[in-house]
Amino acid sequence: MAERILRHRNSRQAWRWQRKLIRYREIQKQIKANAPDILRSKNFNRTKEYIQHGNVTVNSHVMNVARYSIILSECLHISCSRRELIRGALLHDYFLYDWHIPDTENPHKLHGFYHPGVALRNAAKEYPLTERERDIIGKHMWPLTMVPPLCREAWIVTAADKWCSILETLHMRRGHGAILQKLREE
């Protein structure tokens, strides 16, 4: 597949594409190295079943946010704890329900306001969280959360989350087929 794509590109385009692919793989290695327990978790993998924005699953969204957080911190030369940045980004939407489907207990009308607290409670039950990770998860929806983030990592994840949400909502970034999978199951 990659060879076929490269045949239709000139050498400069192919070189750029290969650089992007190498960079993507480097970032994926950083994520895997800093959060193997999260990535293997049964509940974390359940996030592949829930839609976040457009046709993007919660799992794809948090992976995008983790990648963009790394890129943002590097491009702006912001020194921060890479491990806490990645782990907080992966767990920032760890609410474990489909907020598009109201249930009898919770209609999810104010999801944007209360899901950071739900995600923080769920994450704290499963993982030992540092104060920075708690700050990232609990305040990533600022200004909807009244108290602003207190650490650099939380500000970076907040900015990356907003950016990814815009791209996903406007369908400028596509998901990995969760909607197609749900349609096949019906």
Side-chain angles (χ1 to χ4, degrees):
M1 177 74 174
E3 291 173 8
R4 192 171 71 188
I5 292 170
L6 290 176
R7 272 189 257 138
H8 297 291
R9 299 170 189 241
N10 63 36
S11 61
R12 184 180 173 119
Q13 289 172 325
W15 179 75
R16 281 185 181 162
W17 184 82
Q18 285 177 328
R19 271 188 38 214
K20 285 183 180 181
L21 181 62
I22 290 167
R23 182 67 184 127
Y24 175 84
R25 288 179 176 160
E26 288 171 359
I27 291 171
Q28 285 300 108
K29 282 182 187 176
Q30 288 180 40
I31 293 170
K32 287 179 183 176
N34 285 292
D37 57 330
I38 295 172
L39 296 174
R40 279 184 263 136
S41 162
K42 183 178 177 182
N43 277 336
F44 183 77
N45 283 299
R46 275 185 43 213
T47 62
K48 293 176 183 175
E49 301 168 13
Y50 308 126
I51 298 295
Q52 179 70 339
H53 307 111
N55 69 341
V56 178
T57 63
V58 174
N59 187 278
S60 290
H61 170 72
V62 298
M63 293 297 286
N64 290 336
V65 171
R67 281 191 287 274
Y68 277 100
S69 295
I70 292 168
I71 292 167
L72 188 60
S73 69
E74 289 176 357
C75 288
L76 298 177
H77 305 288
I78 299 171
S79 63
C80 63
S81 168
R82 183 66 51 94
R83 178 178 169 77
E84 291 172 312
L85 178 77
I86 291 169
R87 293 176 71 81
L90 291 175
L91 295 172
H92 82 276
D93 280 341
Y94 200 60
F95 44 82
L96 304 175
Y97 58 82
D98 190 344
W99 64 273
H100 299 91
I101 302 170
D103 56 34
T104 55
E105 189 177 306
N106 195 338
H108 307 304
K109 289 181 181 176
L110 299 174
H111 170 78
F113 290 93
Y114 67 79
H115 85 268
V118 175
L120 181 57
R121 280 192 301 277
N122 289 341
K125 286 177 190 173
E126 280 189 60
Y127 310 101
L129 300 174
T130 66
E131 283 304 312
R132 284 186 179 149
E133 291 166 352
R134 289 177 180 280
D135 195 46
I136 293 167
I137 299 165
K139 298 176 184 168
H140 77 274
M141 285 301 290
W142 187 82
L144 296 182
T145 55
M146 299 301 280
V147 181
L150 298 176
C151 63
R152 294 176 192 158
E153 294 83 357
W155 281 107
I156 293 168
V157 171
T158 299
D161 182 44
K162 304 291 184 259
W163 178 248
C164 289
S165 297
I166 288 169
L167 294 178
E168 294 162 5
T169 302
L170 298 177
H171 301 283
M172 297 171 79
R173 184 157 198 90
R174 295 198 176 123
H176 59 59
I179 289 179
L180 293 175
Q181 184 179 357
K182 282 189 177 185
L183 289 174
R184 283 185 203 127
E185 290 171 0
E186 293 174 356

